[in-house]
Amino acid sequence: MNTAQQSAAVEAVVTSYNQGPLILEALDSLYRQTVRPARILLVDDGSTDPASLAILAGIEAGPAPVPVQVIRRPNGGVSAARNTGIRAARAGLVLVLDGDDRLRPAFLEKTSALLAARPAMTAASSWVHTFGVLDAVVRPSGGGLTAFLSRNSCPATHLLRRSAWEQCGGYDETMRSGFEDWEFFLRLLETRPDAQIGIVPEPLLEYRTAPASSNIQSMDKRLSLMRFIIEKHLPSYQAHLADALLGLEAASIQRLSGWEAEIRQSLQDRQPLSDASQDFLAHPSYGDGGMAAAVRLRSEIPDNA
């Protein structure tokens, strides 16, 4: 165990639902922080798994380097669980952590430093190291309201100002299909004109990936969820329409450029193309840069399939 300070200004809310021993990893990562929270509020969202319930009972009974309060509630989804925990917090800064994820030791120290340095910053997080199915470093950018209109630019695990949570009304508890954190960040950023969400440019959050995780499943509903978010925040989208559309276009260009580079490399190496790539060259999309990409590929490597 590292030598750590304990900050009365920070409490942690950890949400859990049938997560078994994974919750112990999340708690251990909080115990190992260089700046520890004053208290951990562990919100159990109606777990039914006997192993998970036994672990929760053990957490309540056993000693811990940081006081842990277990809050039990009927299952209502992650938004309701987070609101329950934040509502019970007393500190000015509250960490929101999913029970199957982990933090590296400097997460709280460095995110709290960002918030201390900038009063307009409503929340802060970091780059993400994914583990499990995907081993990668993901680099969300954070930013102001316009940065969040076209995409979510902050991980769900973050340190926030409790006053901003109160002002924006907390998480939308009707959202149980995904993207609830994105919608919440938009409301955080609407609390003041100069509001920002900061990102520490280091992978201090360890995010567990699995095929059946809620964020993967929510991608099937992405368009309907985006419509819900746009309609709910219509004044912000109307006021910053150009920024929202250009943000989507930038993301589209980035993906198209990556695919073009992959096709180019395959053609140069005389490797067979996937059916999707062959179809793209035979029938390129129109009006989104697809036809121009196909022309570039055929002009550069005209004799390859």
Side-chain angles (χ1 to χ4, degrees), residues 173-209:
E173 298 184 12
T174 69
M175 296 187 71
R176 301 189 63 173
S177 299
F179 292 7
E180 66 286 327
D181 49 329
W182 182 9
E183 193 278 326
F184 173 66
F185 292 142
L186 284 170
R187 281 189 290 117
L188 275 184
L189 292 165
E190 289 168 342
T191 58
R192 53 186 293 174
D194 58 348
Q196 295 278 320
I197 292 178
I199 297 291
V200 179
E202 299 175 47
L204 302 178
L205 165 61
E206 296 184 338
Y207 180 86
R208 193 182 306 270
T209 56

mmCIF file of all heavy atoms in Angstrom, residues 173-209:
data_model
loop_
_atom_site.group_PDB
_atom_site.id
_atom_site.type_symbol
_atom_site.label_atom_id
_atom_site.label_comp_id
_atom_site.label_asym_id
_atom_site.label_seq_id
_atom_site.Cartn_x
_atom_site.Cartn_y
_atom_site.Cartn_z
ATOM 1 N N GLU A 173 -32.629 9.657 -15.125
ATOM 2 C CA GLU A 173 -32.877 8.285 -14.709
ATOM 3 C C GLU A 173 -33.775 7.522 -15.672
ATOM 4 O O GLU A 173 -33.939 6.306 -15.533
ATOM 5 C CB GLU A 173 -33.443 8.273 -13.288
ATOM 6 C CG GLU A 173 -32.465 8.860 -12.275
ATOM 7 C CD GLU A 173 -32.934 8.779 -10.839
ATOM 8 O OE1 GLU A 173 -33.930 8.059 -10.579
ATOM 9 O OE2 GLU A 173 -32.312 9.422 -9.977
ATOM 10 N N THR A 174 -34.322 8.206 -16.680
ATOM 11 C CA THR A 174 -35.101 7.498 -17.698
ATOM 12 C C THR A 174 -34.194 6.853 -18.742
ATOM 13 O O THR A 174 -34.655 5.994 -19.505
ATOM 14 C CB THR A 174 -36.081 8.444 -18.417
ATOM 15 O OG1 THR A 174 -35.344 9.377 -19.236
ATOM 16 C CG2 THR A 174 -36.942 9.202 -17.423
ATOM 17 N N MET A 175 -32.923 7.255 -18.795
ATOM 18 C CA MET A 175 -31.994 6.721 -19.797
ATOM 19 C C MET A 175 -31.382 5.429 -19.262
ATOM 20 O O MET A 175 -30.497 5.462 -18.413
ATOM 21 C CB MET A 175 -30.916 7.749 -20.137
ATOM 22 C CG MET A 175 -31.441 9.006 -20.782
ATOM 23 S SD MET A 175 -30.116 10.112 -21.343
ATOM 24 C CE MET A 175 -29.464 9.179 -22.754
ATOM 25 N N ARG A 176 -31.821 4.302 -19.808
ATOM 26 C CA ARG A 176 -31.319 3.010 -19.357
ATOM 27 C C ARG A 176 -30.787 2.164 -20.508
ATOM 28 O O ARG A 176 -30.535 0.972 -20.347
ATOM 29 C CB ARG A 176 -32.415 2.248 -18.602
ATOM 30 C CG ARG A 176 -32.927 2.996 -17.384
ATOM 31 C CD ARG A 176 -33.840 2.155 -16.519
ATOM 32 N NE ARG A 176 -33.156 0.985 -15.957
ATOM 33 C CZ ARG A 176 -33.702 0.173 -15.055
ATOM 34 N NH1 ARG A 176 -34.925 0.418 -14.609
ATOM 35 N NH2 ARG A 176 -33.037 -0.873 -14.609
ATOM 36 N N SER A 177 -30.591 2.805 -21.681
ATOM 37 C CA SER A 177 -30.097 2.076 -22.845
ATOM 38 C C SER A 177 -28.710 2.527 -23.265
ATOM 39 O O SER A 177 -28.192 2.068 -24.287
ATOM 40 C CB SER A 177 -31.065 2.256 -24.025
ATOM 41 O OG SER A 177 -32.336 1.747 -23.718
ATOM 42 N N GLY A 178 -28.097 3.422 -22.499
ATOM 43 C CA GLY A 178 -26.775 3.907 -22.854
ATOM 44 C C GLY A 178 -26.746 5.404 -23.094
ATOM 45 O O GLY A 178 -27.786 6.060 -23.202
ATOM 46 N N PHE A 179 -25.531 5.943 -23.171
ATOM 47 C CA PHE A 179 -25.261 7.359 -23.470
ATOM 48 C C PHE A 179 -25.744 8.297 -22.374
ATOM 49 O O PHE A 179 -25.802 9.505 -22.578
ATOM 50 C CB PHE A 179 -25.878 7.772 -24.804
ATOM 51 C CG PHE A 179 -25.231 7.134 -26.019
ATOM 52 C CD1 PHE A 179 -24.271 6.157 -25.874
ATOM 53 C CD2 PHE A 179 -25.589 7.511 -27.285
ATOM 54 C CE1 PHE A 179 -23.671 5.561 -26.983
ATOM 55 C CE2 PHE A 179 -24.999 6.933 -28.410
ATOM 56 C CZ PHE A 179 -24.041 5.952 -28.247
ATOM 57 N N GLU A 180 -26.099 7.763 -21.191
ATOM 58 C CA GLU A 180 -26.559 8.629 -20.110
ATOM 59 C C GLU A 180 -25.455 9.558 -19.626
ATOM 60 O O GLU A 180 -25.714 10.688 -19.210
ATOM 61 C CB GLU A 180 -27.102 7.793 -18.941
ATOM 62 C CG GLU A 180 -26.089 6.938 -18.200
ATOM 63 C CD GLU A 180 -25.663 5.708 -18.978
ATOM 64 O OE1 GLU A 180 -26.488 5.149 -19.729
ATOM 65 O OE2 GLU A 180 -24.488 5.289 -18.826
ATOM 66 N N ASP A 181 -24.204 9.101 -19.710
ATOM 67 C CA ASP A 181 -23.100 9.962 -19.287
ATOM 68 C C ASP A 181 -22.904 11.111 -20.273
ATOM 69 O O ASP A 181 -22.654 12.257 -19.867
ATOM 70 C CB ASP A 181 -21.804 9.157 -19.114
ATOM 71 C CG ASP A 181 -21.495 8.269 -20.303
ATOM 72 O OD1 ASP A 181 -22.435 7.798 -20.974
ATOM 73 O OD2 ASP A 181 -20.303 8.031 -20.568
ATOM 74 N N TRP A 182 -23.028 10.859 -21.579
ATOM 75 C CA TRP A 182 -22.904 11.920 -22.585
ATOM 76 C C TRP A 182 -23.971 12.992 -22.356
ATOM 77 O O TRP A 182 -23.666 14.186 -22.335
ATOM 78 C CB TRP A 182 -23.037 11.300 -23.975
ATOM 79 C CG TRP A 182 -22.885 12.258 -25.122
ATOM 80 C CD1 TRP A 182 -22.468 13.571 -25.074
ATOM 81 C CD2 TRP A 182 -23.136 11.971 -26.500
ATOM 82 N NE1 TRP A 182 -22.453 14.119 -26.329
ATOM 83 C CE2 TRP A 182 -22.854 13.156 -27.223
ATOM 84 C CE3 TRP A 182 -23.565 10.845 -27.177
ATOM 85 C CZ2 TRP A 182 -23.007 13.221 -28.611
ATOM 86 C CZ3 TRP A 182 -23.705 10.912 -28.561
ATOM 87 C CH2 TRP A 182 -23.430 12.088 -29.258
ATOM 88 N N GLU A 183 -25.205 12.557 -22.162
ATOM 89 C CA GLU A 183 -26.285 13.523 -21.946
ATOM 90 C C GLU A 183 -26.040 14.326 -20.667
ATOM 91 O O GLU A 183 -26.277 15.541 -20.620
ATOM 92 C CB GLU A 183 -27.624 12.782 -21.870
ATOM 93 C CG GLU A 183 -28.851 13.682 -21.954
ATOM 94 C CD GLU A 183 -29.213 14.313 -20.620
ATOM 95 O OE1 GLU A 183 -29.008 13.658 -19.575
ATOM 96 O OE2 GLU A 183 -29.697 15.461 -20.601
ATOM 97 N N PHE A 184 -25.543 13.667 -19.633
ATOM 98 C CA PHE A 184 -25.251 14.344 -18.377
ATOM 99 C C PHE A 184 -24.149 15.381 -18.560
ATOM 100 O O PHE A 184 -24.244 16.503 -18.042
ATOM 101 C CB PHE A 184 -24.854 13.320 -17.314
ATOM 102 C CG PHE A 184 -24.368 13.922 -16.025
ATOM 103 C CD1 PHE A 184 -25.221 14.657 -15.217
ATOM 104 C CD2 PHE A 184 -23.055 13.756 -15.613
ATOM 105 C CE1 PHE A 184 -24.778 15.213 -14.019
ATOM 106 C CE2 PHE A 184 -22.604 14.300 -14.429
ATOM 107 C CZ PHE A 184 -23.469 15.031 -13.625
ATOM 108 N N PHE A 185 -23.114 15.054 -19.317
ATOM 109 C CA PHE A 185 -22.033 16.007 -19.538
ATOM 110 C C PHE A 185 -22.530 17.251 -20.269
ATOM 111 O O PHE A 185 -22.090 18.369 -19.990
ATOM 112 C CB PHE A 185 -20.890 15.360 -20.320
ATOM 113 C CG PHE A 185 -20.154 14.285 -19.562
ATOM 114 C CD1 PHE A 185 -19.714 13.147 -20.195
ATOM 115 C CD2 PHE A 185 -19.905 14.413 -18.198
ATOM 116 C CE1 PHE A 185 -19.035 12.150 -19.506
ATOM 117 C CE2 PHE A 185 -19.234 13.432 -17.491
ATOM 118 C CZ PHE A 185 -18.793 12.290 -18.150
ATOM 119 N N LEU A 186 -23.441 17.068 -21.216
ATOM 120 C CA LEU A 186 -24.005 18.229 -21.905
ATOM 121 C C LEU A 186 -24.696 19.153 -20.903
ATOM 122 O O LEU A 186 -24.529 20.382 -20.956
ATOM 123 C CB LEU A 186 -25.002 17.783 -22.981
ATOM 124 C CG LEU A 186 -24.401 17.222 -24.274
ATOM 125 C CD1 LEU A 186 -25.486 16.604 -25.146
ATOM 126 C CD2 LEU A 186 -23.643 18.309 -25.043
ATOM 127 N N ARG A 187 -25.450 18.581 -19.972
ATOM 128 C CA ARG A 187 -26.125 19.433 -18.989
ATOM 129 C C ARG A 187 -25.136 20.073 -18.019
ATOM 130 O O ARG A 187 -25.322 21.215 -17.609
ATOM 131 C CB ARG A 187 -27.203 18.636 -18.254
ATOM 132 C CG ARG A 187 -28.457 18.517 -19.118
ATOM 133 C CD ARG A 187 -29.629 17.935 -18.397
ATOM 134 N NE ARG A 187 -29.407 16.524 -18.125
ATOM 135 C CZ ARG A 187 -29.319 15.990 -16.916
ATOM 136 N NH1 ARG A 187 -29.429 16.756 -15.840
ATOM 137 N NH2 ARG A 187 -29.135 14.709 -16.758
ATOM 138 N N LEU A 188 -24.071 19.357 -17.664
ATOM 139 C CA LEU A 188 -23.024 19.980 -16.854
ATOM 140 C C LEU A 188 -22.446 21.206 -17.564
ATOM 141 O O LEU A 188 -22.206 22.249 -16.943
ATOM 142 C CB LEU A 188 -21.889 18.987 -16.582
ATOM 143 C CG LEU A 188 -21.994 18.025 -15.410
ATOM 144 C CD1 LEU A 188 -20.699 17.221 -15.313
ATOM 145 C CD2 LEU A 188 -22.247 18.755 -14.098
ATOM 146 N N LEU A 189 -22.212 21.059 -18.860
ATOM 147 C CA LEU A 189 -21.582 22.133 -19.624
ATOM 148 C C LEU A 189 -22.545 23.276 -19.928
ATOM 149 O O LEU A 189 -22.118 24.370 -20.297
ATOM 150 C CB LEU A 189 -21.005 21.564 -20.926
ATOM 151 C CG LEU A 189 -19.804 20.629 -20.706
ATOM 152 C CD1 LEU A 189 -19.517 19.830 -21.961
ATOM 153 C CD2 LEU A 189 -18.569 21.424 -20.285
ATOM 154 N N GLU A 190 -23.831 23.048 -19.776
ATOM 155 C CA GLU A 190 -24.818 24.103 -19.969
ATOM 156 C C GLU A 190 -25.034 24.937 -18.703
ATOM 157 O O GLU A 190 -25.794 25.906 -18.734
ATOM 158 C CB GLU A 190 -26.144 23.490 -20.422
ATOM 159 C CG GLU A 190 -26.103 22.942 -21.853
ATOM 160 C CD GLU A 190 -27.308 22.083 -22.208
ATOM 161 O OE1 GLU A 190 -28.006 21.618 -21.281
ATOM 162 O OE2 GLU A 190 -27.540 21.853 -23.408
ATOM 163 N N THR A 191 -24.346 24.579 -17.613
ATOM 164 C CA THR A 191 -24.557 25.302 -16.362
ATOM 165 C C THR A 191 -23.931 26.692 -16.370
ATOM 166 O O THR A 191 -24.354 27.564 -15.625
ATOM 167 C CB THR A 191 -24.008 24.518 -15.162
ATOM 168 O OG1 THR A 191 -22.601 24.255 -15.363
ATOM 169 C CG2 THR A 191 -24.749 23.197 -14.986
ATOM 170 N N ARG A 192 -22.908 26.907 -17.211
ATOM 171 C CA ARG A 192 -22.299 28.237 -17.315
ATOM 172 C C ARG A 192 -21.642 28.367 -18.681
ATOM 173 O O ARG A 192 -21.162 27.375 -19.248
ATOM 174 C CB ARG A 192 -21.283 28.483 -16.190
ATOM 175 C CG ARG A 192 -20.221 27.437 -16.026
ATOM 176 C CD ARG A 192 -19.352 27.690 -14.787
ATOM 177 N NE ARG A 192 -18.543 28.881 -14.923
ATOM 178 C CZ ARG A 192 -17.783 29.379 -13.940
ATOM 179 N NH1 ARG A 192 -17.754 28.793 -12.750
ATOM 180 N NH2 ARG A 192 -17.062 30.467 -14.126
ATOM 181 N N PRO A 193 -21.582 29.573 -19.251
ATOM 182 C CA PRO A 193 -21.089 29.740 -20.626
ATOM 183 C C PRO A 193 -19.646 29.297 -20.824
ATOM 184 O O PRO A 193 -19.284 28.876 -21.921
ATOM 185 C CB PRO A 193 -21.236 31.248 -20.873
ATOM 186 C CG PRO A 193 -22.246 31.710 -19.889
ATOM 187 C CD PRO A 193 -22.092 30.843 -18.682
ATOM 188 N N ASP A 194 -18.820 29.414 -19.773
ATOM 189 C CA ASP A 194 -17.412 29.071 -19.910
ATOM 190 C C ASP A 194 -17.083 27.699 -19.342
ATOM 191 O O ASP A 194 -15.912 27.361 -19.134
ATOM 192 C CB ASP A 194 -16.540 30.126 -19.230
ATOM 193 C CG ASP A 194 -16.872 30.303 -17.746
ATOM 194 O OD1 ASP A 194 -17.918 29.785 -17.301
ATOM 195 O OD2 ASP A 194 -16.086 30.964 -17.033
ATOM 196 N N ALA A 195 -18.080 26.868 -19.117
ATOM 197 C CA ALA A 195 -17.859 25.553 -18.505
ATOM 198 C C ALA A 195 -16.987 24.675 -19.395
ATOM 199 O O ALA A 195 -17.084 24.712 -20.626
ATOM 200 C CB ALA A 195 -19.192 24.865 -18.234
ATOM 201 N N GLN A 196 -16.140 23.908 -18.744
ATOM 202 C CA GLN A 196 -15.238 23.001 -19.435
ATOM 203 C C GLN A 196 -15.202 21.670 -18.688
ATOM 204 O O GLN A 196 -15.477 21.599 -17.490
ATOM 205 C CB GLN A 196 -13.817 23.575 -19.481
ATOM 206 C CG GLN A 196 -13.660 24.851 -20.287
ATOM 207 C CD GLN A 196 -13.521 24.574 -21.765
ATOM 208 O OE1 GLN A 196 -12.837 23.623 -22.166
ATOM 209 N NE2 GLN A 196 -14.153 25.394 -22.587
ATOM 210 N N ILE A 197 -14.833 20.606 -19.398
ATOM 211 C CA ILE A 197 -14.502 19.326 -18.790
ATOM 212 C C ILE A 197 -13.063 19.022 -19.151
ATOM 213 O O ILE A 197 -12.692 19.029 -20.332
ATOM 214 C CB ILE A 197 -15.450 18.211 -19.268
ATOM 215 C CG1 ILE A 197 -16.860 18.461 -18.713
ATOM 216 C CG2 ILE A 197 -14.943 16.840 -18.837
ATOM 217 C CD1 ILE A 197 -17.894 17.449 -19.167
ATOM 218 N N GLY A 198 -12.249 18.796 -18.133
ATOM 219 C CA GLY A 198 -10.817 18.611 -18.353
ATOM 220 C C GLY A 198 -10.429 17.144 -18.468
ATOM 221 O O GLY A 198 -11.094 16.260 -17.923
ATOM 222 N N ILE A 199 -9.350 16.909 -19.180
ATOM 223 C CA ILE A 199 -8.816 15.558 -19.359
ATOM 224 C C ILE A 199 -7.324 15.563 -19.043
ATOM 225 O O ILE A 199 -6.557 16.341 -19.628
ATOM 226 C CB ILE A 199 -9.025 15.054 -20.801
ATOM 227 C CG1 ILE A 199 -10.523 14.957 -21.136
ATOM 228 C CG2 ILE A 199 -8.332 13.703 -20.997
ATOM 229 C CD1 ILE A 199 -11.277 13.888 -20.400
ATOM 230 N N VAL A 200 -6.894 14.711 -18.124
ATOM 231 C CA VAL A 200 -5.467 14.517 -17.860
ATOM 232 C C VAL A 200 -4.907 13.660 -18.989
ATOM 233 O O VAL A 200 -5.420 12.565 -19.247
ATOM 234 C CB VAL A 200 -5.241 13.821 -16.508
ATOM 235 C CG1 VAL A 200 -3.753 13.595 -16.265
ATOM 236 C CG2 VAL A 200 -5.850 14.641 -15.375
ATOM 237 N N PRO A 201 -3.859 14.116 -19.691
ATOM 238 C CA PRO A 201 -3.348 13.364 -20.845
ATOM 239 C C PRO A 201 -2.456 12.182 -20.452
ATOM 240 O O PRO A 201 -1.327 12.041 -20.909
ATOM 241 C CB PRO A 201 -2.565 14.433 -21.621
ATOM 242 C CG PRO A 201 -2.084 15.374 -20.571
ATOM 243 C CD PRO A 201 -3.193 15.428 -19.537
ATOM 244 N N GLU A 202 -2.991 11.334 -19.616
ATOM 245 C CA GLU A 202 -2.344 10.082 -19.210
ATOM 246 C C GLU A 202 -3.439 9.038 -19.014
ATOM 247 O O GLU A 202 -4.539 9.379 -18.560
ATOM 248 C CB GLU A 202 -1.590 10.237 -17.883
ATOM 249 C CG GLU A 202 -0.482 11.244 -17.866
ATOM 250 C CD GLU A 202 0.109 11.389 -16.466
ATOM 251 O OE1 GLU A 202 0.384 10.338 -15.827
ATOM 252 O OE2 GLU A 202 0.261 12.524 -15.998
ATOM 253 N N PRO A 203 -3.173 7.767 -19.297
ATOM 254 C CA PRO A 203 -4.197 6.729 -19.105
ATOM 255 C C PRO A 203 -4.291 6.310 -17.641
ATOM 256 O O PRO A 203 -3.745 5.286 -17.218
ATOM 257 C CB PRO A 203 -3.702 5.588 -19.996
ATOM 258 C CG PRO A 203 -2.220 5.757 -20.040
ATOM 259 C CD PRO A 203 -1.963 7.243 -19.964
ATOM 260 N N LEU A 204 -5.021 7.103 -16.856
ATOM 261 C CA LEU A 204 -5.143 6.867 -15.417
ATOM 262 C C LEU A 204 -6.401 6.093 -15.050
ATOM 263 O O LEU A 204 -6.607 5.751 -13.888
ATOM 264 C CB LEU A 204 -5.134 8.206 -14.665
ATOM 265 C CG LEU A 204 -3.897 9.082 -14.895
ATOM 266 C CD1 LEU A 204 -4.026 10.394 -14.141
ATOM 267 C CD2 LEU A 204 -2.629 8.338 -14.489
ATOM 268 N N LEU A 205 -7.245 5.817 -16.041
ATOM 269 C CA LEU A 205 -8.462 5.038 -15.851
ATOM 270 C C LEU A 205 -8.308 3.720 -16.596
ATOM 271 O O LEU A 205 -7.948 3.708 -17.778
ATOM 272 C CB LEU A 205 -9.671 5.812 -16.391
ATOM 273 C CG LEU A 205 -10.974 5.033 -16.594
ATOM 274 C CD1 LEU A 205 -11.479 4.447 -15.277
ATOM 275 C CD2 LEU A 205 -12.032 5.930 -17.225
ATOM 276 N N GLU A 206 -8.559 2.617 -15.914
ATOM 277 C CA GLU A 206 -8.508 1.297 -16.527
ATOM 278 C C GLU A 206 -9.943 0.817 -16.731
ATOM 279 O O GLU A 206 -10.676 0.585 -15.770
ATOM 280 C CB GLU A 206 -7.719 0.329 -15.651
ATOM 281 C CG GLU A 206 -6.252 0.747 -15.529
ATOM 282 C CD GLU A 206 -5.410 -0.239 -14.736
ATOM 283 O OE1 GLU A 206 -5.987 -1.017 -13.936
ATOM 284 O OE2 GLU A 206 -4.185 -0.229 -14.912
ATOM 285 N N TYR A 207 -10.315 0.682 -17.994
ATOM 286 C CA TYR A 207 -11.712 0.424 -18.382
ATOM 287 C C TYR A 207 -11.834 -1.007 -18.902
ATOM 288 O O TYR A 207 -11.205 -1.379 -19.895
ATOM 289 C CB TYR A 207 -12.120 1.429 -19.458
ATOM 290 C CG TYR A 207 -13.531 1.296 -19.958
ATOM 291 C CD1 TYR A 207 -14.584 1.926 -19.296
ATOM 292 C CD2 TYR A 207 -13.821 0.562 -21.101
ATOM 293 C CE1 TYR A 207 -15.884 1.815 -19.760
ATOM 294 C CE2 TYR A 207 -15.115 0.438 -21.574
ATOM 295 C CZ TYR A 207 -16.137 1.070 -20.888
ATOM 296 O OH TYR A 207 -17.427 0.949 -21.351
ATOM 297 N N ARG A 208 -12.663 -1.781 -18.230
ATOM 298 C CA ARG A 208 -12.855 -3.188 -18.598
ATOM 299 C C ARG A 208 -13.770 -3.291 -19.814
ATOM 300 O O ARG A 208 -14.860 -2.714 -19.830
ATOM 301 C CB ARG A 208 -13.462 -3.947 -17.419
ATOM 302 C CG ARG A 208 -13.435 -5.465 -17.554
ATOM 303 C CD ARG A 208 -14.103 -6.121 -16.350
ATOM 304 N NE ARG A 208 -13.525 -5.667 -15.105
ATOM 305 C CZ ARG A 208 -12.489 -6.244 -14.492
ATOM 306 N NH1 ARG A 208 -11.925 -7.299 -15.027
ATOM 307 N NH2 ARG A 208 -12.039 -5.758 -13.349
ATOM 308 N N THR A 209 -13.332 -4.029 -20.834
ATOM 309 C CA THR A 209 -14.142 -4.200 -22.039
ATOM 310 C C THR A 209 -14.585 -5.656 -22.160
ATOM 311 O O THR A 209 -13.823 -6.580 -21.889
ATOM 312 C CB THR A 209 -13.360 -3.805 -23.313
ATOM 313 O OG1 THR A 209 -12.133 -4.562 -23.376
ATOM 314 C CG2 THR A 209 -13.034 -2.320 -23.303
#
